[in-house]
Amino acid sequence: MSAKRGEFKTNDGCTIHYELGYGPRSSLADSPIVLVHGWSGSRRYFDDSWAALQGCANHPPVLVRYDLRGHGESDKPEWGYHVARYAADLRDLLRHLNLDNVTLVGTSMGCAIIWSYLEIFGDAKVKAAVFVDQAPLQNRAEDWNLGSKGCYDVASLTRLQALLKYDFMAFTKGNCKGCLSNPIDPSYERLLMAETMKASPEGLSTLMADHTALDWRPLLPRIRIPCLVLAGAKSQIFPVEGVKEVGRLIPGSTTVVFEYEDHWLYIEDFMRFATLVADFAENGMLTDSSVLARLESRDKDRLLGQ
């Protein structure tokens, strides 16, 4: 699969950097895959899964990853650090690349960006979606205690914002430690930290204040496209039951739990992640027998039509 890099300007003047991979297939069953990284990450967080997706037998015809505004190589403006604006950036990306029938894959806050996109712009250009380890509400509420384990109210948000402002390096080190339970290549871990350091601390602070307060529970039952939910059983960021609630609320969705992986399950088990995503993007459902064998019985019965 060949690859190229590019950039474009959003409708509010922010330059976004992206990378494309092209494959040889063009059947109607194929779907371009767009990878949307999470808060404080970058497109480089997908390095291993990007390569694995290109190596899959059913790799997508087009594969896209990009740096969110305020992250990676994209612009760090003084405005636009709220999830709805990020959804508009995603809309502008799809328009710029003239993509249709896409499978959107969001990790952590990337899920919220996709939910916001679907709420504001609809699903006309979207074939399917994959949501990776994100609860529908991060903050605690009277009827909800399955949100973030670390940032869930005004006090915990204030502590995080102070760390971003006064010791960004300490935040960066703790971020890696808090999202990985299994060892990865030390050089890759250093790369992840370097990519986080490229982000705007001020932008991250403003963005988290918006993101952590958004409650997506009313929207999720209105989603009608095929959806796959991936949860890390060892996630230090969300309780697995909080992530499973996304799958429960979205009609007809399928939930897969990565039994031994953390929040960055797409890094810790990138081969399984790529296999699931490629299968789902091509078929709008999971068809791989080895994958089906590991699903919970409720999901397996639904997929098999029982």
Side-chain angles (χ1 to χ4, degrees), residues 4 43 45 67 91 100 106 209 259 275 288 290 295 299 304:
K4 74 172 187 178
R43 72 178 191 275
Y45 273 53
D67 291 332
R91 183 271 317 268
D100 201 353
E259 299 90 344
T275 299
D288 190 302
S290 64
L295 292 179
D299 297 317
L304 297 176

Side-chain angles (χ1 to χ4, degrees), residues 11 25 28-29 34 39 92 130 137 159 178 187 225-226 233 238 249 284:
N11 67 354
R25 303 179 309 143
L28 293 178
V34 179
W39 181 82
D92 291 348
V130 181
L137 170 61
R159 288 193 296 270
S187 63
I225 57 173
F238 296 108
L249 288 170

Side-chain angles (χ1 to χ4, degrees), residues 42 58 61 63 67 89 106 110 112 133 150 157 166 188 232 258 264 279 283:
S42 79
N58 57 342
L63 185 61
D67 291 332
D89 293 348
D133 212 58
L157 173 64
Y166 296 111
Y188 191 34
F258 282 52
W264 291 345
D279 186 24
N283 300 297

Side-chain angles (χ1 to χ4, degrees), residues 286-300:
L286 295 180
T287 64
D288 190 302
S289 59
S290 64
V291 170
L292 291 174
R294 301 174 69 176
L295 292 179
E296 295 182 2
S297 59
R298 173 178 57 84
D299 297 317
K300 195 183 306 181

Side-chain angles (χ1 to χ4, degrees), residues 168-178 189 193:
F168 194 38
M169 176 57 77
F171 159 77
T172 298
K173 292 178 179 178
N175 194 44
C176 266
K177 185 176 181 180
E189 186 168 354
M193 292 177 60

Side-chain angles (χ1 to χ4, degrees), residues 215-233:
D215 188 350
W216 297 103
R217 290 177 294 171
L219 172 75
L220 298 184
R222 298 175 56 82
I223 295 177
R224 292 295 180 263
I225 57 173
C227 292
L228 175 64
V229 178
L230 306 181

